[in-house]
Amino acid sequence: MRADVESLDLSDVTGNWVNAAILQREISDRIKALADLAHTPLFFGRLDYLHAPGLDLAEGEQFYIGRRHVHDAQGDPMVIDWRAPVSQPFYRASRKDPLDVALRRRFGYTGGDLTAYEDEHLTDPAELETTSALLAAEIERPRVGPMRDIVATIQPEQDEIVRADIHGSVCVQGAPGTGKTAVGLHRVAYLLYAHRERLARTGTLVIGPNRSFLQYIEQVLPALGELDVAQATVEELVAHVPVTGADPAPTAVVKGDARMAQVLHRAVRSGIRMPTEPCLVVRGSRRWRIPAYELEQLVQELLDRDIRYGAALAALPQRIAHLVLVKMEQAGEAPDDRVQDAVARNPAVRAAVKAVWPVVDPVKLVFRLLSDAEFLADCARDLLTPEEQRAVLWAKAPRGPKSAPWSLADAVLIDETRDLVERTSSLGHVVLDEAQDLSPMQYRAVGRRCTTGSTTVLGDIAQGTTPWATATWAEALHHLGKPESRVEALTKTFRVPSEVIRYASRLLPGIAPDLAPAESVRESRGALRVLPLPDAEGSTAAVLDACREALGNEGSIALIAADARIPALGAALEAAGLPYLDPGTETSAESRLTLVPASLAKGLEYDYVVLDEPAAIVDGEPDPRTGLRRLYVCLTRPVSGLTVLHARPLPSALAG
């Protein structure tokens, strides 16, 4: 198929160089999408239907299922794309509801070579229902390199989310290891398959918590043949100013509160003044006078309509010009649209507009709000308390916007202000991962990028590790502007061993009492070891020994520790001759150990995890609940084994 595309001659099919360039780019993208992936087989399953789908025939039909459509030289399909309707029973069919499938076959691979297959005769009552060994082997396969797709192992409850209609938004509450991130990415791939033209026009975006996380997941969609999906963090979305500062937690909480949107709305409109003087327009030998009360009516009408500030600013000179044209017509003249445009550009009209509806610079406005106590008090009256206003203000006002220590929360405020002035363009579909950590204002920043599109929201309330983390999905979806979204819960974990998830779930009553503990499908004895140490002095040596022991296993290894401990542990690993990687860096057979600060562990997964000093991880956060949530995240990163080392007492929930 790739050779066929490469052999296409475009010399006689394009009318001009622009069309030729566009077609050449599309051809290049098609060639990239058809690239061979060394250890990725073209098919992973087979369906034998009792009857040919869509045809009224007695005989059945056989289909091979794979990551993408494959046809032979004559154009006849050899492999059916997993997203096609005919492939859906591969994920949904069961003995209770076989969906007209007589046989489902799964294929097993080792390094790209076909090594096994497994059959399920769904309509044979004599065959006992068993757990798929190939499915279990695929889930437990060692993690080396970036995150991989789960297209061969999608479960029925996951498939329902993946194939949900594009017209509705979906929120997935997923416990650790339930595959919520993979589900979100596969949903993007499915929507691009089912609504390609629509999403090609409007665009698709995946938003992750940090760049390390995005690097970890960036190969999933290309492996499924989808190359045109943008990825960004919230910080990158709102990068209108350089972020060089960091707010204390109380300040960030206030700046991230939804009330700040109302404060900004007032600030943007604070410069509007009702006209007190008439507007006198001179054209040739004639003068046209618009009295102040008519100008006031125009301004009041625009205020009442509450349209974007910039749109109103553009409309006002045209409205004034229209009044002038009405007077011209009453005087017997016959002005046209060109005259109206000329009047709108008249210096007198421009001066009148500037006096009542001045231009707003979002950066300068937010700078003034954060540095001028009187201006903030006027805009925040009845919204923020005096204590909250003091928290928002800079302790020492910078000289100007360029020297200001802008924080991420400030950048979000500027983004909100920009939207109040000019509408933010909307994308067709947005996937928001680790959504529980966003503030209300950050939800608004994401939401205005999908006002006319749909969203897939992914997260886990129990893993909320910011002081402003959302308490409920209903609250989050309200701020996102998608209150009608349906909420789906994934509680069956396929990644985390049962012994580990039970241990971590001891923290749930204190960090997310409304959530039920996840249930693991994997029993793995000896997956958890909790090793007390006699004193802190020997803890580093014990950590190094645990890392060496973990490296004796196959797969990826992570040493997770409190952020403050990372420099010392990094130096100790280097001194011991144990090379390590940074989070998000691709692991390989030669380099399998990653040193992970607790703050960057979210969303990552490793075969074996060594966890250093849980109490230090808890203490590294601004409050105990956030610290315990951070610890919950760290405890649930392993696929095969977890070793916990502690010289200090464990949190009480884990000590029992």
Side-chain angles (χ1 to χ4, degrees), residues 75-101:
D76 294 326
M78 299 176 65
V79 179
I80 304 299
D81 193 301
W82 67 275
R83 298 167 286 189
V86 75
S87 303
Q88 184 171 323
F90 185 79
Y91 305 105
R92 303 274 189 95
S94 64
R95 295 187 186 280
K96 185 181 294 184
D97 185 9
L99 300 176
D100 201 42
V101 172

Short mmCIF file of all heavy atoms in Angstrom, two decimals, residues 75-101:
data_model
loop_
_atom_site.label_atom_id
_atom_site.label_comp_id
_atom_site.label_asym_id
_atom_site.label_seq_id
_atom_site.Cartn_x
_atom_site.Cartn_y
_atom_site.Cartn_z
N GLY A 75 -7.27 -4.32 -4.15
CA GLY A 75 -8.13 -3.46 -3.35
C GLY A 75 -9.07 -4.19 -2.43
O GLY A 75 -9.88 -3.56 -1.74
N ASP A 76 -8.99 -5.53 -2.41
CA ASP A 76 -9.85 -6.29 -1.51
C ASP A 76 -9.29 -6.25 -0.09
O ASP A 76 -8.08 -6.41 0.12
CB ASP A 76 -9.95 -7.75 -1.98
CG ASP A 76 -10.66 -7.87 -3.32
OD1 ASP A 76 -11.57 -7.05 -3.56
OD2 ASP A 76 -10.28 -8.73 -4.12
N PRO A 77 -10.16 -6.05 0.92
CA PRO A 77 -9.66 -5.93 2.30
C PRO A 77 -9.07 -7.24 2.83
O PRO A 77 -9.66 -8.31 2.67
CB PRO A 77 -10.91 -5.53 3.09
CG PRO A 77 -12.06 -5.99 2.26
CD PRO A 77 -11.62 -5.89 0.84
N MET A 78 -7.91 -7.13 3.44
CA MET A 78 -7.27 -8.27 4.10
C MET A 78 -7.38 -8.15 5.62
O MET A 78 -7.54 -9.14 6.31
CB MET A 78 -5.79 -8.35 3.70
CG MET A 78 -5.56 -8.56 2.21
SD MET A 78 -3.80 -8.54 1.81
CE MET A 78 -3.23 -9.99 2.67
N VAL A 79 -7.28 -6.90 6.11
CA VAL A 79 -7.42 -6.63 7.53
C VAL A 79 -8.40 -5.47 7.69
O VAL A 79 -8.31 -4.47 6.98
CB VAL A 79 -6.06 -6.26 8.18
CG1 VAL A 79 -6.24 -5.95 9.66
CG2 VAL A 79 -5.05 -7.38 8.00
N ILE A 80 -9.32 -5.61 8.64
CA ILE A 80 -10.32 -4.58 8.89
C ILE A 80 -9.86 -3.70 10.05
O ILE A 80 -9.37 -4.19 11.06
CB ILE A 80 -11.68 -5.21 9.24
CG1 ILE A 80 -12.12 -6.17 8.13
CG2 ILE A 80 -12.73 -4.13 9.48
CD1 ILE A 80 -12.31 -5.51 6.79
N ASP A 81 -10.00 -2.40 9.87
CA ASP A 81 -9.65 -1.44 10.92
C ASP A 81 -10.47 -1.74 12.17
O ASP A 81 -11.68 -1.96 12.11
CB ASP A 81 -9.93 -0.02 10.41
CG ASP A 81 -9.31 1.05 11.29
OD1 ASP A 81 -9.62 1.10 12.49
OD2 ASP A 81 -8.50 1.85 10.77
N TRP A 82 -9.83 -1.70 13.33
CA TRP A 82 -10.50 -2.01 14.60
C TRP A 82 -11.65 -1.06 14.89
O TRP A 82 -12.54 -1.36 15.69
CB TRP A 82 -9.50 -1.96 15.75
CG TRP A 82 -8.95 -0.59 16.03
CD1 TRP A 82 -7.90 0.02 15.42
CD2 TRP A 82 -9.43 0.35 17.01
NE1 TRP A 82 -7.69 1.28 15.93
CE2 TRP A 82 -8.62 1.51 16.92
CE3 TRP A 82 -10.46 0.33 17.94
CZ2 TRP A 82 -8.81 2.63 17.71
CZ3 TRP A 82 -10.66 1.45 18.75
CH2 TRP A 82 -9.83 2.58 18.63
N ARG A 83 -11.65 0.09 14.24
CA ARG A 83 -12.69 1.09 14.49
C ARG A 83 -13.94 0.88 13.64
O ARG A 83 -14.96 1.55 13.86
CB ARG A 83 -12.12 2.49 14.24
CG ARG A 83 -10.97 2.83 15.16
CD ARG A 83 -10.21 4.07 14.72
NE ARG A 83 -9.39 3.80 13.54
CZ ARG A 83 -8.50 4.65 13.05
NH1 ARG A 83 -8.33 5.83 13.64
NH2 ARG A 83 -7.78 4.35 11.98
N ALA A 84 -13.86 0.01 12.64
CA ALA A 84 -14.99 -0.22 11.75
C ALA A 84 -16.14 -0.90 12.51
O ALA A 84 -15.90 -1.68 13.45
CB ALA A 84 -14.56 -1.08 10.57
N PRO A 85 -17.38 -0.65 12.12
CA PRO A 85 -18.51 -1.30 12.81
C PRO A 85 -18.43 -2.81 12.84
O PRO A 85 -18.82 -3.44 13.83
CB PRO A 85 -19.72 -0.81 12.01
CG PRO A 85 -19.30 0.49 11.41
CD PRO A 85 -17.83 0.33 11.10
N VAL A 86 -17.89 -3.41 11.77
CA VAL A 86 -17.83 -4.87 11.72
C VAL A 86 -16.83 -5.42 12.74
O VAL A 86 -16.89 -6.60 13.11
CB VAL A 86 -17.47 -5.33 10.28
CG1 VAL A 86 -15.99 -5.10 9.99
CG2 VAL A 86 -17.84 -6.77 10.05
N SER A 87 -15.93 -4.57 13.23
CA SER A 87 -14.93 -5.00 14.22
C SER A 87 -15.45 -4.92 15.65
O SER A 87 -14.86 -5.52 16.56
CB SER A 87 -13.67 -4.14 14.11
OG SER A 87 -13.12 -4.19 12.83
N GLN A 88 -16.53 -4.21 15.88
CA GLN A 88 -16.99 -3.96 17.24
C GLN A 88 -17.26 -5.23 18.04
O GLN A 88 -16.92 -5.28 19.24
CB GLN A 88 -18.25 -3.08 17.20
CG GLN A 88 -18.76 -2.68 18.58
CD GLN A 88 -19.87 -1.65 18.49
OE1 GLN A 88 -19.85 -0.76 17.65
NE2 GLN A 88 -20.85 -1.76 19.37
N PRO A 89 -17.83 -6.28 17.46
CA PRO A 89 -18.05 -7.50 18.25
C PRO A 89 -16.77 -8.13 18.80
O PRO A 89 -16.84 -8.92 19.74
CB PRO A 89 -18.74 -8.44 17.25
CG PRO A 89 -19.44 -7.52 16.30
CD PRO A 89 -18.51 -6.36 16.15
N PHE A 90 -15.61 -7.80 18.23
CA PHE A 90 -14.36 -8.33 18.79
C PHE A 90 -14.21 -7.90 20.24
O PHE A 90 -13.65 -8.63 21.07
CB PHE A 90 -13.16 -7.86 17.97
CG PHE A 90 -11.85 -8.45 18.41
CD1 PHE A 90 -11.50 -9.74 18.04
CD2 PHE A 90 -10.99 -7.73 19.22
CE1 PHE A 90 -10.30 -10.30 18.48
CE2 PHE A 90 -9.79 -8.28 19.65
CZ PHE A 90 -9.45 -9.57 19.27
N TYR A 91 -14.74 -6.71 20.57
CA TYR A 91 -14.64 -6.17 21.92
C TYR A 91 -15.90 -6.39 22.75
O TYR A 91 -15.83 -6.47 23.97
CB TYR A 91 -14.34 -4.67 21.85
CG TYR A 91 -13.12 -4.34 21.04
CD1 TYR A 91 -13.23 -3.80 19.75
CD2 TYR A 91 -11.85 -4.59 21.53
CE1 TYR A 91 -12.10 -3.50 19.00
CE2 TYR A 91 -10.72 -4.30 20.79
CZ TYR A 91 -10.85 -3.76 19.52
OH TYR A 91 -9.73 -3.48 18.78
N ARG A 92 -17.05 -6.49 22.09
CA ARG A 92 -18.32 -6.52 22.82
C ARG A 92 -18.95 -7.90 22.92
O ARG A 92 -19.77 -8.15 23.81
CB ARG A 92 -19.32 -5.58 22.13
CG ARG A 92 -18.88 -4.14 22.00
CD ARG A 92 -19.18 -3.33 23.23
NE ARG A 92 -18.94 -1.90 22.99
CZ ARG A 92 -19.85 -1.02 22.64
NH1 ARG A 92 -21.11 -1.40 22.47
NH2 ARG A 92 -19.54 0.24 22.46
N ALA A 93 -18.65 -8.80 22.00
CA ALA A 93 -19.34 -10.10 21.97
C ALA A 93 -19.03 -10.92 23.22
O ALA A 93 -17.92 -10.87 23.76
CB ALA A 93 -18.94 -10.87 20.72
N SER A 94 -20.03 -11.67 23.67
CA SER A 94 -19.87 -12.54 24.84
C SER A 94 -20.73 -13.78 24.63
O SER A 94 -21.52 -13.87 23.69
CB SER A 94 -20.30 -11.81 26.11
OG SER A 94 -21.69 -11.50 26.04
N ARG A 95 -20.59 -14.75 25.52
CA ARG A 95 -21.43 -15.95 25.41
C ARG A 95 -22.89 -15.59 25.64
O ARG A 95 -23.78 -16.20 25.03
CB ARG A 95 -20.97 -16.99 26.43
CG ARG A 95 -19.56 -17.50 26.14
CD ARG A 95 -19.16 -18.65 27.05
NE ARG A 95 -17.77 -19.00 26.82
CZ ARG A 95 -17.35 -19.74 25.80
NH1 ARG A 95 -18.22 -20.22 24.93
NH2 ARG A 95 -16.07 -20.01 25.66
N LYS A 96 -23.14 -14.63 26.49
CA LYS A 96 -24.52 -14.21 26.73
C LYS A 96 -25.10 -13.50 25.51
O LYS A 96 -26.27 -13.65 25.18
CB LYS A 96 -24.57 -13.30 27.95
CG LYS A 96 -25.97 -12.89 28.36
CD LYS A 96 -25.94 -11.96 29.57
CE LYS A 96 -25.41 -12.70 30.79
NZ LYS A 96 -25.47 -11.85 32.03
N ASP A 97 -24.26 -12.71 24.83
CA ASP A 97 -24.69 -11.98 23.63
C ASP A 97 -23.58 -12.08 22.59
O ASP A 97 -22.73 -11.20 22.47
CB ASP A 97 -24.97 -10.52 23.99
CG ASP A 97 -25.54 -9.74 22.80
OD1 ASP A 97 -25.88 -10.38 21.78
OD2 ASP A 97 -25.64 -8.50 22.90
N PRO A 98 -23.58 -13.15 21.78
CA PRO A 98 -22.47 -13.39 20.83
C PRO A 98 -22.45 -12.44 19.64
O PRO A 98 -21.47 -12.44 18.89
CB PRO A 98 -22.69 -14.83 20.39
CG PRO A 98 -24.12 -15.10 20.62
CD PRO A 98 -24.52 -14.28 21.81
N LEU A 99 -23.51 -11.68 19.41
CA LEU A 99 -23.55 -10.71 18.31
C LEU A 99 -23.29 -11.37 16.96
O LEU A 99 -22.60 -10.82 16.09
CB LEU A 99 -22.55 -9.57 18.56
CG LEU A 99 -22.76 -8.75 19.84
CD1 LEU A 99 -21.65 -7.72 20.02
CD2 LEU A 99 -24.11 -8.05 19.80
N ASP A 100 -23.82 -12.58 16.78
CA ASP A 100 -23.72 -13.34 15.53
C ASP A 100 -22.29 -13.79 15.23
O ASP A 100 -21.94 -14.10 14.09
CB ASP A 100 -24.26 -12.53 14.35
CG ASP A 100 -24.66 -13.43 13.18
OD1 ASP A 100 -25.26 -14.50 13.43
OD2 ASP A 100 -24.35 -13.08 12.02
N VAL A 101 -21.45 -13.84 16.26
CA VAL A 101 -20.07 -14.29 16.08
C VAL A 101 -19.95 -15.73 16.56
O VAL A 101 -20.28 -16.04 17.72
CB VAL A 101 -19.08 -13.40 16.85
CG1 VAL A 101 -17.67 -13.98 16.81
CG2 VAL A 101 -19.10 -11.98 16.28
#
